[in-house]
Amino acid sequence: MMKARDILFNTSWDEFDMGICKLSVPFFNQYIPFILFQNHDRKPKLTPKMIVALNHILELDIDKQTLYFEKYSKKDIPKVQEIHIDQDNDILDAVYSEVILSMPKGEYMSLVVKDGTIIHLDDKGTYLTSLKEA
């Protein structure tokens, strides 16, 4: 499990206060850039939920990802372009992240991850905050 200091050490921040941290993700068998969207603090920081979201991706369990394997067989699994972890999602009850897939024809496709389980295949660019319960 990565701690905040380990993530921050491996993260470079751009002029828009977005962090980019490239890590090896065993589930996808590739190095993937994690794009960390934080709320423009003077000093870049990660919230506890952002840290948990990153670790959920690193620890994805093959046995819990039935939706993913229903959609993609082992031979046609697309590569991952990047993973988005957004501080704005902290308002949600669960811990969410979004895995952006690199599709062959350039179409949009992402996997929504909730508490370490892929729960939705999104091709519309859904805002995760729209999942907030009233």
Side-chain angles (χ1 to χ4, degrees):
M1 178 169 192
M2 290 189 76
K3 298 183 189 274
R5 70 176 180 268
D6 302 320
I7 298 166
L8 289 169
F9 179 77
N10 289 297
T11 302
S12 60
W13 298 90
D14 68 13
E15 66 273 13
F16 304 108
D17 299 320
M18 283 191 321
I20 300 172
C21 179
K22 195 168 186 180
L23 299 170
S24 175
V25 180
F27 181 82
F28 297 109
N29 194 31
Q30 71 181 96
Y31 278 88
I32 304 169
F34 285 74
I35 311 298
L36 308 170
F37 299 94
Q38 57 96 27
N39 288 341
H40 306 292
D41 291 327
R42 281 180 242 177
K43 181 180 177 190
K45 70 173 187 176
L46 302 172
T47 65
K49 275 192 166 184
M50 292 173 75
I51 296 164
V52 170
L54 184 140
N55 280 297
H56 279 167
I57 297 292
L58 294 178
E59 299 167 359
L60 281 173
D61 182 348
I62 290 173
D63 296 331
K64 293 182 180 180
Q65 309 313 324
T66 54
L67 175 66
Y68 181 75
F69 289 113
E70 285 172 8
K71 173 72 176 168
Y72 299 107
S73 68
K74 294 214 181 251
K75 64 180 178 194
D76 66 354
I77 294 175
K79 290 288 185 189
V80 175
Q81 180 177 325
E82 58 193 31
I83 297 169
H84 292 183
I85 297 176
D86 193 336
Q87 186 176 351
D88 288 347
N89 295 334
D90 284 5
I91 64 171
L92 302 170
D93 291 336
V95 176
Y96 287 89
S97 58
E98 190 172 17
V99 178
I100 311 299
L101 300 176
S102 181
M103 301 303 289
K105 296 179 182 172
E107 65 272 26
Y108 180 84
M109 180 65 69
S110 73
L111 308 171
V112 176
V113 179
K114 175 185 177 185
D115 293 332
T117 302
I118 298 167
I119 62 160
H120 181 65
L121 299 169
D122 181 35
D123 62 358
K124 295 177 181 38
T126 304
Y127 287 101
L128 299 184
T129 52
S130 67
L131 302 172
K132 184 177 180 184
E133 296 177 359

